[in-house]
């Protein structure tokens, strides 16, 4: 294997080289530097030779990485990526990739550059671990596309490990705090938003996008068919994930509250001056029928938390609160996952802090059964 070590290079000294014939039949040499180990260089060489033998040598692009990322976003847009996902991609690229890597030629990107970027993002703590992983995914996918389009011979991101996520402990309310908060929120216009989050585990966007036609009072369930975007400006068909499009069973007390809300909403519509009410058939809406923006909901949510003096949590933690309560009732994790729209039951890992109590209760129940006849 034509793999060599540059004795003068202090970092990433390994490189490969192989010869080939160009379109005119003239012999040329292809060299690629910047590999940390001999194995990395050999792996890249195999990929480069395989690409050449199959398609001919790629004519590597001399474009800046920032310019290629624009084309990558256009490619994703044409591929049908949702608007909200596209906004998230653009935000991560513009603020957290381009400022550090955008001025580098596509062909000059090196694995150590990506490692330095991930370390910097981790040190700055401006992004969550999950979003740093998304940065890596975007870089990896964009360079895969460059290889596919024959503008690169190799994807350097494939030589870098995906950043790890430090799983944070989920913050939830216990039964007492949940009731205390909901009792105070009873007089809030948006009480039903909080109640649905606690009693069904629905996501914020799912609740704010819910229509009355999706509430089946006879069968006692809610169908999740659309969500409200994070900025509150548009409704998105479907849900966050495929598993999110689902039917959620609702307890009778919550259904009764929904009926009372529906009656109040109808009265508001009838009493509104002509031409001022905008009918969108939303369960959660403003006094003129329009959607409630997440920002305004959060303002109300945190004001109620401060007033009731319960532990400060995020709105999304109401969903975790619901899951924790179900797991505490010994409901099978698979059923909990299906109820809240998780794609699999590995979500149990998020609630590991309650497992010791569950194990203790299980042991007690077993002891009562086992020694009952002793």
């Amino acid at each position: 294997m034509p793999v060599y070590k540059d004795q003068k290079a202090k970092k990433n000294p390994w490189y490969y080289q192989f010869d080939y014939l160009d379109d005119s039949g003239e012999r040329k040499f292809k060299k690629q530097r910047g590999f940390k180990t001999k194995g990395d260089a050999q792996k890249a060489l195999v990929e480069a030779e395989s690409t050449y033998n199959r398609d001919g040598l790629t004519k590597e692009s001399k474009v800046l990485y920032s310019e290629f990322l624009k084309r990558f976003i256009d490619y994703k847009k044409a591929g049908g990526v949702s608007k909200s996902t596209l906004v998230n991609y653009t935000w991560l690229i513009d603020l957290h990739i381009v400022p550090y890597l955008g001025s580098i030629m596509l062909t000059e990107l090196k694995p150590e550059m990506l490692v330095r970027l991930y370390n910097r993002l981790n040190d700055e703590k401006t992004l969550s671990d999950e979003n740093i992983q998304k940065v890596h995914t975007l870089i990896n996918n964009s360079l895969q596309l460059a290889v596919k389009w024959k503008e690169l011979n190799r994807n350097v991101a494939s030589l870098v490990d995906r950043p790890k996520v430090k799983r944070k402990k989920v913050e939830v309310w216990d039964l007492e705090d949940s009731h205390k908060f909901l009792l105070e929120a009873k007089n809030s216009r948006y009480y039903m938003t909080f109640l649905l989050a606690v009693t069904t585990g629905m996501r914020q966007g799912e609740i704010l996008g819910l229509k009355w036609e999706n509430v089946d009072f006879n069968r006692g369930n809610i169908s999740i068919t659309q969500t409200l975007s994070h900025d509150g400006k548009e409704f998105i068909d479907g849900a966050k994930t495929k598993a999110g499009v689902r039917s959620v069973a609702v307890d009778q007390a919550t259904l009764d509250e929904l009926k009372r809300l529906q009656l109040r909403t109808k009265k508001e519509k009838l009493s509104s001056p002509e031409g001022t009410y905008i009918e969108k058939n939303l369960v959660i809406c403003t006094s003129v029928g329009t959607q409630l923006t997440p920002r305004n909901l959060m303002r109300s949510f945190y004001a109620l938390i401060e007033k009731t003096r319960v532990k400060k949590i995020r709105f999304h933690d109401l969903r975790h609160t619901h899951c924790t309560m179900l797991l505490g009732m010994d409901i099978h994790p698979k059923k909990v996952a299906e109820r809240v729209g998780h794609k699999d039951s590995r979500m149990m890992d998020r609630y590991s802090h309650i497992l010791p109590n569950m194990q203790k209760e299980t042991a007690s129940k077993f002891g009562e059964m086992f020694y009952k006849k002793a």
Side-chain angles (χ1 to χ4, degrees), residues 67-287:
E67 292 300 315
F68 187 81
L69 283 169
K70 292 178 182 177
R71 292 162 58 192
F72 172 71
I73 286 295
D74 288 340
Y75 172 78
K76 286 294 183 180
K77 186 176 181 179
V81 170
S82 70
K83 186 176 179 180
S84 60
T85 299
L86 208 60
V87 167
N88 191 44
Y89 284 175
T90 303
W91 167 64
L92 289 171
I93 287 172
D94 290 349
L95 294 184
H96 301 287
I97 299 179
V98 168
Y100 305 111
L101 301 177
S103 61
I104 300 170
M105 289 285 188
L106 186 61
T107 54
E108 297 300 317
L109 288 171
K110 300 289 189 294
E112 62 267 25
M113 294 177 182
L114 307 190
V115 173
R116 285 198 295 270
L117 170 60
Y118 304 154
N119 287 338
R120 183 168 185 168
L121 292 175
N122 187 58
D123 291 340
E124 289 175 349
K125 300 189 183 303
T126 54
L127 287 179
S128 66
D129 292 345
E130 289 82 359
N131 275 326
I132 294 176
Q133 282 192 333
K134 288 178 184 177
V135 166
H136 172 73
T137 299
L138 284 169
I139 293 173
N140 185 47
N141 290 350
S142 66
L143 297 184
Q144 278 182 347
L145 184 64
V147 172
K148 181 179 179 180
W149 285 355
K150 301 181 183 177
E151 297 195 35
L152 277 179
N153 276 321
R154 64 164 182 161
N155 173 8
V156 296
S158 67
L159 304 176
V160 178
D161 291 335
R162 186 171 182 245
K164 293 183 178 179
V165 169
K166 299 183 185 99
R167 183 71 68 184
K168 295 178 182 178
K169 180 181 174 181
V170 172
E171 295 291 341
V172 298
W173 284 337
D174 58 19
L175 199 58
E176 183 180 350
D177 280 349
S178 298
H179 282 301
K180 186 177 179 181
F181 175 85
L182 290 172
L183 183 63
E184 185 63 44
K186 189 85 172 179
N187 295 322
S188 168
R189 176 178 183 83
Y190 307 120
Y191 169 67
M192 183 52 62
T193 316
F194 311 128
L195 184 63
L196 283 173
V198 173
T199 61
T200 69
M202 291 169 64
R203 297 179 176 92
Q204 182 189 106
E206 294 170 347
I207 296 172
L208 297 182
L210 185 64
K211 289 187 173 184
W212 285 114
E213 63 200 53
N214 300 130
V215 179
D216 190 330
F217 288 105
N218 293 325
R219 295 185 178 180
N221 63 43
I222 287 173
S223 299
I224 310 297
T225 61
Q226 73 169 12
T227 62
L228 182 67
S229 62
H230 292 301
D231 58 12
K233 293 182 179 179
E234 65 174 335
F235 294 99
I236 303 166
D237 289 338
K240 182 180 179 182
T241 63
K242 288 182 179 179
V245 180
R246 64 198 188 282
S247 179
V248 182
V250 184
D251 65 272
Q252 190 57 52
T254 301
L255 284 173
D256 291 341
E257 288 293 342
L258 279 167
K259 289 177 181 177
R260 281 190 280 272
L261 175 61
Q262 187 179 48
L263 181 61
R264 189 193 77 189
T265 303
K266 288 178 179 178
K267 288 180 178 179
E268 277 187 345
K269 179 181 177 181
L270 291 173
S271 61
S272 297
E274 187 175 352
T276 61
Y277 196 90
I278 303 172
E279 180 59 80
K280 294 193 174 185
N281 203 32
L282 293 169
V283 172
I284 308 298
C285 63
T286 65
S287 59

